[in-house]
Amino acid sequence: MTKVIEVSGLTKCYDGLAAVDGIDFAVEEGEIFGFLGPNGAGKTTTIRLLTGLSKPTAGSARVLGYDIASEIMKAKREFGVVPEMSNMYDELSGLENLVFMGQLYGVPSGERRARAEELLKTFGLYERKDSRFATYSRGMKRALTIAAALVHRPRLLFLDEPTVGLDVVAARNLRTLIQRLQKEGTTVFLTTHYLEEADMLCSRIALLVKGKVIATNTPVRLKGMAEEEPALEVSFRQPSPQAGEELGKRLPGTVVMTINERIRVYGGDTATVLETILSYARERKIEVASVNSLKPTLEDAFVKLTGLSPLVMAAEKGGQ
């Protein structure tokens, strides 16, 4: 397989602190490669480095065969970038925005309008092609921003947190579009802090925590890493906010978390864990509503590999 991105020891420091800390990975042609990690892990910084918006402190990378340090302008002709915040012009219509982006990307003048209209149809925006961008819904704005990055038919598309802030329907539509792009041969580099989104879309995932890549593999194999760690989920008929913390003290060597009033216990001997839960319930005179053995999920793999609560991934995008 052809490698469209090759990264070796890539590092970016700000005021002596490493936002990206000596990372290594490669992206193969035709895949959706997920860069998964909590907000502040260094995902956006990595995209900025790979697209020439920031210069590395150390290390190297090649994008589409070009060295980002000396040939980034050549690479830019062949990739598209969809930033987290839209870069479209509010006062221009959807069609005008795409035609203008075509001009910036060097699309021949005789092809710009046809290409723009083709993309508007693909993204379900053709009926609103003459409406000002400012009047578009959030989902429509996101879709047009992605369309603009495709106007020059790039081989590689960088997507930074594409579904942040979208409603459920808009996010689902956007994921469908991303999958369609892959089927049409576009390689996609996707940053996200949504575990389910990464599991659903990505061919492979690099897990990034505090500027370091701690694992890279397919979603299936990452989940397989959690299989040896049994996981039980228990719910009580009278939920107690202290139950998770109290059970954690009784179950050393396990990871105990409370998620939506359900308590999950990762690791430990299953029989011992279950007996401890039942004993706790008897002492507190509370009834156990259910106990389930869980199949490993990407969330379980995240917990095992990072030691962090999946709740750190649930927060919306802050100030990365």
Side-chain angles (χ1 to χ4, degrees):
M1 292 288 289
T2 302
K3 290 182 170 57
V4 297
I5 300 176
E6 298 176 85
V7 173
S8 177
L10 197 62
T11 301
K12 181 65 178 181
C13 296
Y14 295 100
D15 298 324
L17 297 175
V20 174
D21 192 1
I23 60 175
D24 302 279
F25 65 88
V27 178
E28 296 179 351
E29 187 174 25
E31 69 178 345
I32 299 176
F33 187 87
F35 222 50
L36 174 65
N39 291 327
K43 302 186 302 295
T44 295
T45 300
T46 301
I47 279 191
R48 289 179 61 82
L49 291 169
L50 294 177
T51 58
L53 295 177
S54 182
K55 292 186 177 181
T57 306
S60 62
R62 299 186 73 83
V63 174
L64 296 165
Y66 300 108
D67 188 322
I68 62 168
S70 59
E71 302 174 294
I72 191 63
M73 295 310 296
K74 292 179 182 177
K76 283 186 176 184
R77 298 189 196 116
E78 298 184 43
F79 67 67
V81 184
V82 180
E84 184 195 348
M85 301 300 293
S86 174
N87 55 356
M88 299 291 96
Y89 293 93
D90 281 347
E91 66 274 18
L92 298 182
S93 69
L95 178 61
E96 289 168 338
N97 263 297
L98 292 188
V99 169
F100 179 63
M101 293 303 291
Q103 182 180 351
L104 291 181
Y105 275 119
V107 177
S109 58
E111 299 176 15
R112 290 171 200 157
R113 185 181 178 93
R115 178 61 176 156
E117 291 185 344
E118 175 190 339
L119 285 165
L120 287 163
K121 290 173 183 175
T122 296
F123 283 79
L125 298 170
Y126 190 77
E127 292 183 0
R128 293 289 305 275
K129 68 183 175 70
D130 296 318
S131 300
R132 290 172 59 243
F133 182 73
T135 67
Y136 282 14
S137 69
R138 194 174 227 167
M140 292 168 65
K141 286 180 176 179
R142 203 72 182 128
L144 191 76
T145 305
I146 294 176
L150 296 170
V151 74
H152 60 310
R153 294 186 170 86
R155 294 166 53 199
L156 168 64
L157 182 66
F158 290 96
L159 286 171
D160 191 10
E161 299 278 5
T163 59
V164 163
L166 297 186
D167 61 41
V168 172
V169 174
R172 185 187 303 125
N173 290 341
L174 190 47
R175 291 184 189 112
T176 300
L177 284 170
I178 293 168
Q179 290 170 323
R180 184 194 304 174
L181 289 173
Q182 182 196 28
K183 288 178 182 176
E184 292 173 355
T186 305
T187 303
V188 179
F189 184 93
L190 167 76
T191 74
T192 183
H193 65 275
Y194 295 141
L195 289 154
E196 288 184 6
E197 182 167 88
D199 197 5
M200 186 186 312
L201 290 176
C202 297
S203 316
R204 288 190 305 130
I205 294 169
L207 191 57
L208 189 74
V209 177
K210 294 181 180 178
K212 293 181 178 289
V213 172
I214 61 172
T216 305
N217 220 316
T218 64
V220 169
R221 287 181 177 171
L222 285 174
K223 286 182 280 190
M225 293 177 184
E227 283 187 343
E228 62 201 55
E229 288 283 318
L232 287 179
E233 183 177 79
V234 60
S235 62
F236 298 111
R237 293 205 183 278
Q238 306 86 22
S240 165
Q242 292 83 32
E245 182 180 348
E246 291 173 347
L247 280 170
K249 292 176 180 176
R250 299 186 182 204
L251 292 166
T254 67
V255 177
V256 181
M257 296 176 181
T258 303
I259 302 172
N260 297 327
E261 297 187 339
R262 294 176 180 270
I263 296 169
R264 290 186 185 178
V265 183
Y266 298 93
D269 174 71
T270 301
T272 301
V273 170
L274 183 57
E275 177 53 39
T276 302
I277 290 170
L278 295 175
S279 174
Y280 173 82
R282 287 193 295 269
E283 288 178 22
R284 293 290 187 273
K285 294 183 171 55
I286 54 178
E287 187 178 348
V288 175
S290 65
V291 178
N292 296 304
S293 177
L294 301 178
K295 283 187 175 182
T297 64
L298 196 57
E299 182 177 283
D300 298 327
F302 175 82
V303 170
K304 180 178 179 183
L305 291 166
T306 68
L308 298 173
S309 164
L311 296 177
V312 304
M313 302 288 277
E316 281 296 340
K317 185 79 170 178
Q320 182 168 327

